[in-house]
Amino acid sequence: STVLELLSHDRSKMFIDPTPVESLINIYTSDNKFTPSEIAPLLGESGALGTKNCRTVSMTVLGSILSGQPKIIKTNPLVENRIWVNCFSGDKAVKEEAIRAWRLGHQVGDDMDLPTPSKMFS
């Protein structure tokens, strides 16, 4: 969560080897299965509900997680909700990363329409 908090500041761009994004991806794409509490920082106000930079990075990291563990989007409604909400962001970068994560979680290609969310959101 400290790295996510760093992303809310402009000075986060000064860190380059590794970047904060690379650090988070490396942390979250290990071979481990994650508990909801371990993913929670990506979903809160310092992540998917935070500033533009935090939301973009959270969607990038969630996409990386989902590329290896796509079931998370179906078993964790909060992950599904945060990605779905960001698919409709007014910011282009956030929206693109959220759509990419959504597609990875549902294992569909770029040429297909976005799958609808689970029945819980109907």
Side-chain angles (χ1 to χ4, degrees):
S1 83
T2 303
V3 177
L4 286 169
E5 290 175 25
L6 171 67
L7 289 166
S8 66
H9 304 286
D10 287 336
R11 69 178 182 264
S12 69
K13 295 174 184 161
M14 295 174 14
F15 297 92
I16 55 173
D17 193 25
T19 66
V21 179
E22 292 169 339
S23 297
L24 286 169
I25 289 173
N26 287 333
I27 291 167
Y28 281 104
T29 57
S30 66
D31 292 333
N32 299 332
K33 300 281 183 189
F34 296 103
T35 64
S37 63
E38 291 170 326
I39 294 177
L42 293 173
L43 307 174
E45 291 186 17
S46 60
L49 299 177
T51 63
K52 172 190 161 188
N53 197 30
C54 292
R55 291 182 9 230
T56 304
V57 170
S58 290
M59 294 300 109
T60 302
V61 174
L62 286 169
S64 295
I65 293 169
L66 291 169
S67 68
Q69 300 177 40
K71 290 182 181 179
I72 290 176
I73 201 167
K74 294 177 182 170
T75 59
N76 188 326
L78 198 52
V79 170
E80 182 182 32
N81 173 268
R82 295 303 193 256
I83 295 172
W84 183 248
V85 166
N86 280 291
C87 283
F88 301 96
S89 172
D91 182 80
K92 184 180 177 182
V94 173
K95 182 177 181 175
E96 287 174 354
E97 285 301 316
I99 289 172
R100 185 180 77 79
W102 189 260
R103 290 184 185 283
L104 286 167
H106 289 89
Q107 299 175 319
V108 297
D110 293 338
D111 56 337
M112 299 177 71
D113 291 336
L114 285 180
T116 57
S118 65
K119 292 180 182 182
M120 181 184 340
F121 296 105
S122 301

